[in-house]
């Protein structure tokens, strides 16, 4: 067992350094001065060089060869599986390329933010071209004769392919489009909020809701960022949100969404701390946690009853008559521009748009210069609305600036997983709605912690969902949930 102990000791140091790199990213998004961007890019590149050297260290190759997996317990075998996958993948990427990707994507974040603020895509386009070229080079090195985009997907949802995801999306699209059509043709029109809401009070309420969902502030914090995100794992997991005086739901539901991510990381067994198993198994499973917290629980009729009371207590008269009307307002369907603010019907259409466009960018079928036109045309076709400015179009998301190609489809995959988990949870736990109406989510979040979160990377992603649901992993529970919920709200 000496080789295994040596490997794990070395790996824990590598994982710890990776956490430090993540903290640099958190700081850049929340606290760092604007003029520090160039230096931060160099710092990030230097640290990535160290990490890449450790991941490809010949000692790791030797330890992997010396260890017999059959002599290890279940957790040890999972550690070996993940270390071996990471080592093999990293070994195919030249160290100078890994460092250059880190440098360019770090500075690209700031360039994207400036271009977004200036509503000027041309200001960002050369940087995006550079990011795509570097990520394509990296993926080609990994894929060999295989598909480049599939190689990118493995960073976020190991074991899947664009063909598999595309087939699932093709099954989702017709019923989503049909449901959207029925809703928009309905005579029922839930009222939208139409007044200002103090940003400081939004943050105070969001802190309270985060704690109510089980987020441990002793091991984390909530800050503001341009694009809400969750960062870290184990005993240092940080979340961000954003405020808009005209849209408090943006802050509230972004917070609940990121709490789902954060609780996943906080609830992984402490036995796996600072090891490969001590992180969420995939972004699809990660999104299943954020989406079930945000939607099936947070936007459900019972919890919205509780939230209505909290909103009126915090802000006074919010312009909505009662809890029933508030439930409809929370779930109001409209063809908005912004993915993170989208209702549950349009959200997946946002993702499908990005999935198709990023595959075209990676393959070279779509030139970066033509991205705004392609985005705007697809958006108008799917949403029936013309994009009015780049920040409401192809500059709204941070993902491509930091090289996260292959990430977007995991959002809808997470919705599919959340539908399966919600169905199974409802079968196992009777009386949840009575508790949700009191703001008590503890039994639901404990069920998720026990059946999904505590395992971290112990099992492969589809196995995690299958074990929790009794084997059900398909899009049907999600579609049934959406059709029932919105059929009720819109009297379909």
């Amino acid at each position: 067992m000496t080789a295994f102990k040596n490997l794990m000791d070395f790996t824990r140091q590598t994982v710890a350094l990776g956490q430090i790199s993540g903290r640099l990213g958190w700081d850049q998004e929340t606290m760092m001065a604007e003029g520090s961007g160039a230096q931060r890019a160099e710092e990030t590149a230097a640290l990535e060089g160290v990490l890449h050297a450790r991941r490809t260290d010949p000692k790791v190759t030797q330890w992997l060869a010396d260890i017999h997996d059959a002599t290890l317990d279940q957790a040890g075998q999972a550690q070996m599986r993940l270390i071996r996958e990471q080592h093999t993948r990293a070994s195919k990427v030249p160290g100078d390329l890994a460092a250059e990707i880190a440098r360019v994507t770090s500075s690209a974040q700031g360039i994207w933010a400036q271009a977004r603020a200036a509503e000027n895509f041309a200001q960002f386009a050369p940087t995006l071209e550079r990011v795509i070229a570097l990520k394509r080079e990296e993926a080609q090195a990994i894929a060999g004769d295989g598909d480049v985009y599939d190689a990118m997907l493995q960073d976020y949802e190991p074991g899947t392919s664009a063909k598999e995801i595309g087939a699932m999306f093709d099954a989702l699209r017709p019923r989503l489009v049909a449901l959207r059509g029925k809703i928009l043709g309905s005579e029922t029109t839930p009222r939208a909020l139409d007044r200002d809401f103090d940003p400081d009070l939004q943050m105070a309420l969001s802190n309270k809701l985060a704690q109510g969902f089980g987020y441990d502030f002793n091991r984390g914090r909530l800050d503001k960022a341009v694009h809400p995100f969750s960062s870290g794992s184990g005993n240092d997991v940080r979340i961000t949100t954003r405020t808009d005086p005209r849209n408090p739901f943006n802050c509230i539901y972004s917070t609940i969404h990121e709490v789902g991510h954060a609780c996943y990381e906080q609830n992984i067994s402490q036995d796996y701390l600072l090891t490969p198993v001590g992180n969420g198994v995939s972004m699809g499973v990660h999104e299943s946690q954020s989406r079930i917290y945000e939607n099936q629980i947070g936007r459900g009729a019972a919890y919205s009853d509780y939230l209505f009371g909290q909103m009126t207590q915090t802000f006074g008269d919010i312009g909505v008559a009662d809890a029933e009307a508030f439930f409809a307002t929370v779930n109001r369907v409209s063809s908005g521009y912004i993915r993170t603010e989208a209702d549950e019907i349009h959200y997946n259409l946002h993702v499908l748009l990005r999935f198709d466009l990023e595959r075209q960018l990676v393959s070279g079928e779509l030139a970066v210069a033509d991205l705004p036109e392609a985005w705007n045309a697809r958006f108008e076709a799917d949403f029936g609305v013309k994009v009015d400015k780049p920040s409401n179009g192809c500059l709204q998301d941070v993902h491509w600036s930091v090289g996260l190609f292959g990430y977007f489809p995991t959002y809808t995959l997470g919705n599919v997983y959340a539908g399966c988990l919600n169905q199974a949870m409802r079968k196992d736990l009777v009386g949840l709605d009575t508790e949700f109406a009191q703001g008590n989510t503890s039994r639901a979040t404990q069920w998720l912690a026990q059946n999904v979160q505590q395992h971290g990377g112990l099992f492969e992603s589809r196995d995690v969902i299958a074990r929790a649901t009794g084997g059900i992993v398909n899009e049907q529970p999600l579609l049934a949930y959406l059709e029932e919920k919105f059929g009720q709200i819109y009297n379909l």
Side-chain angles (χ1 to χ4, degrees), residues 77-215:
Q77 291 179 17
Q79 301 284 14
M80 288 293 291
R81 168 174 55 83
L82 293 172
I83 294 170
R84 189 174 288 114
E85 289 173 356
Q86 293 166 5
H87 178 68
T88 300
R89 188 173 176 81
S91 296
K92 294 178 179 179
V93 180
D96 56 351
L97 175 59
E100 180 64 8
I101 289 172
R103 179 183 296 107
V104 169
T105 54
S106 178
S107 62
Q109 268 183 283
I111 296 169
W112 161 78
Q114 292 168 2
R116 183 178 184 272
E119 301 292 353
N120 185 353
F121 178 78
Q123 183 177 333
F124 176 58
T127 299
L128 181 57
E129 289 175 345
R130 179 62 175 156
V131 170
I132 291 172
L134 289 170
K135 293 299 293 184
R136 188 185 292 128
E137 183 180 353
E138 177 190 50
Q140 189 64 68
I142 294 166
D145 294 332
D147 185 86
V148 171
Y149 186 76
D150 282 352
M152 294 178 172
L153 279 173
Q154 303 315 301
D155 276 336
Y156 312 107
E157 196 66 21
T160 195
S161 67
K163 181 179 180 180
E164 180 182 11
I165 290 174
M168 179 180 288
F169 288 2
D170 287 344
L172 280 169
R173 185 189 289 270
R175 283 171 65 177
L176 286 174
V177 171
L179 181 56
R180 174 183 181 273
K182 291 178 182 178
I183 291 170
L184 296 182
S186 170
E187 295 181 359
T188 301
T189 307
R191 185 170 185 171
L193 298 180
D194 187 23
R195 60 195 60 199
D196 286 340
F197 295 82
D198 187 320
D200 290 338
L201 293 179
Q202 290 184 42
M203 290 300 294
L205 178 56
S206 290
N207 272 270
K208 181 177 182 179
L209 298 177
Q211 191 168 10
F213 269 91
Y215 181 59

Side-chain angles (χ1 to χ4, degrees), residues 245-260:
R246 301 293 295 176
N247 184 8
F249 292 152
N250 192 334
C251 180
I252 288 168
Y253 284 106
S254 290
T255 299
I256 295 174
H257 179 99
E258 300 307 334
V259 163

Side-chain angles (χ1 to χ4, degrees), residues 191-197 248-249 307-322 326 329-330:
R191 185 170 185 171
L193 298 180
D194 187 23
R195 60 195 60 199
D196 286 340
F197 295 82
F249 292 152
L307 183 58
F308 175 69
Q310 293 298 305
M311 289 281 288
T312 55
Q313 180 180 321
T314 302
F315 301 106
D317 179 14
I318 63 172
V320 179
D322 53 33
F326 182 76
T329 295
V330 164

Side-chain angles (χ1 to χ4, degrees), residues 246-287:
R246 301 293 295 176
N247 184 8
F249 292 152
N250 192 334
C251 180
I252 288 168
Y253 284 106
S254 290
T255 299
I256 295 174
H257 179 99
E258 300 307 334
V259 163
H261 284 302
C263 284
Y264 185 0
E265 294 293 337
Q266 287 185 337
N267 289 331
I268 294 172
S269 171
Q270 289 284 303
D271 292 342
Y272 308 145
L273 188 66
L274 294 179
T275 73
V277 173
N279 293 285
V281 64
S282 75
M283 287 315 305
V285 177
H286 241 299
E287 286 300 322

